[in-house]
Amino acid sequence: TFKYLCGLMSGAHLVTRAWIANCHQERVWRSPMDDELVSGCTIAHSIVSRGPHNTLLAPEKMAGKCFFVFGAFQGGSNKTEVEQLMRLGGAKLRTELPQKPNETKSTIIVCDGSTLNYEQFQELRPKCSIMVQPNFVTDSCSKCHPRPLHEYQVPAPTPPQGAAASSSVSGVKGRQEISR
């Protein structure tokens, strides 16, 4: 769930119900290290990854990376929640698309490929190093380590009929030909 992923990203103690029951039965707060779960592993194995943002994942996953979240999301991902998870992971969120070439090389666009049309894809693709589906963020959080970006790459939408011949033309002229 979103709350669980937020807990993982913020470094909160995530304990089992058994831990709560045992503490209640023994009337003492036990060390959570034995019963604490982080996506199928104990916190003791993951705590060494704690980074400058006080999260378990920031140094490995999102710190130092720039993301731009584009468009509407369908299905299980909520745009606001994805942005919040990225912030908790130490990501830098851009408020606008990069304009300088050195910025485009370090920017990852998170967008739902099912809501992206051909023209949007053609316009966005040169502005980033890669375009990924929103489940890259949620899957990386739930696995407690970075997922390979290429596995979540947004495929190019099918060009509209008649646009295939002009799709290799760049610039404004190319977009005018595509929109005819």
Side-chain angles (χ1 to χ4, degrees):
T1 66
F2 172 66
K3 289 181 182 182
Y4 177 76
L5 294 177
C6 282
L8 288 176
M9 294 304 290
S10 66
H13 290 288
L14 303 174
V15 295
T16 63
R17 290 179 184 208
W19 181 84
I20 296 168
N22 290 337
C23 289
H24 179 71
Q25 183 178 5
E26 296 172 15
R27 299 190 194 290
V28 296
W29 291 113
R30 297 174 38 170
S31 169
M33 297 309 246
D34 297 329
D35 295 311
E36 189 166 24
L37 296 180
V38 176
S39 190
C41 62
T42 64
I43 190 90
H45 299 294
S46 300
I47 206 158
V48 293
S49 300
R50 218 175 260 276
H53 301 283
N54 195 31
T55 71
L56 296 173
L57 309 170
E60 295 180 51
K61 193 178 324 184
M62 296 189 199
K65 293 186 174 135
C66 294
F67 291 87
F68 179 76
V69 181
F70 178 82
F73 292 178
Q74 290 183 347
S77 296
N78 175 306
K79 185 175 178 178
T80 304
E81 291 175 352
V82 167
E83 289 175 336
Q84 187 173 352
L85 288 171
M86 291 189 314
R87 280 189 196 97
L88 285 170
K92 297 176 189 171
L93 290 181
R94 300 186 66 89
T95 57
E96 56 187 46
L97 284 168
Q99 303 302 315
K100 299 176 184 172
N102 63 330
E103 293 174 340
T104 61
K105 292 177 184 175
S106 64
T107 300
I108 299 165
I109 294 179
V110 179
C111 60
D112 187 338
S114 66
T115 64
L116 201 62
N117 66 40
Y118 181 76
E119 289 80 14
Q120 290 170 323
F121 182 88
Q122 292 299 95
E123 187 175 330
L124 291 173
R125 186 59 196 104
K127 305 253 182 211
C128 64
S129 63
I130 191 168
M131 294 168 65
V132 296
Q133 299 283 353
N135 60 334
F136 160 75
V137 177
T138 53
D139 288 357
S140 294
C141 293
S142 66
K143 298 293 183 188
C144 290
H145 73 81
R147 307 303 303 147
L149 288 167
H150 70 275
E151 290 180 10
Y152 296 87
Q153 188 166 0
V154 174
T158 305
Q161 201 169 16
S166 62
S167 63
S168 63
V169 179
S170 62
V172 174
K173 183 178 179 185
R175 278 199 291 275
Q176 288 172 343
E177 289 175 15
I178 291 171
S179 62
R180 282 187 195 163

